[in-house]
Amino acid sequence: MNSGESRLLAWFVELHSMTCVTFATTKAKAQWMATKSYWDAYGRRKGEWPRARASRAEHYDKSALRHATPQRAWCEDHVANHPTC
């Protein structure tokens, strides 16, 4: 890992009673990634910003999905069944 490269960490993010897992360097980036994925899946209403609550999901930090491109939010079952690095 380069000294300038930040480590991607696993985060649980809850949006509208749905929980997903994202991989980001900060809590704010994890919330944004989950919000963007939510909008991609369900559409965006003008002026709507869903409330996103994030907490760390340390046991998924080594998931191979952290290197998937493009970065997105994943359902927890998918992350749990995906191999680790």
Side-chain angles (χ1 to χ4, degrees):
M1 179 182 335
N2 297 335
S3 60
E5 181 182 327
S6 297
R7 185 170 168 232
L8 292 175
L9 304 173
W11 299 86
F12 287 119
V13 183
E14 185 178 333
L15 286 154
H16 293 298
S17 301
M18 296 182 297
T19 302
C20 61
V21 177
T22 63
F23 298 92
T25 54
T26 65
K27 181 178 181 177
K29 287 180 182 179
Q31 290 169 315
W32 166 245
M33 194 175 311
T35 299
K36 186 174 180 318
S37 293
Y38 176 84
W39 285 339
D40 288 346
Y42 298 104
R44 180 178 182 181
R45 295 187 182 130
K46 187 176 180 179
E48 177 194 349
W49 278 87
R51 181 175 181 185
R53 290 184 281 172
S55 60
R56 285 282 288 117
E58 293 92 358
H59 53 284
Y60 293 132
D61 278 347
K62 295 185 185 230
S63 173
L65 289 172
R66 73 181 185 272
H67 299 299
T69 54
Q71 284 289 315
R72 62 176 52 132
W74 306 92
C75 72
E76 186 175 2
D77 288 341
H78 183 70
V79 177
N81 293 325
H82 205 274
T84 59
C85 291

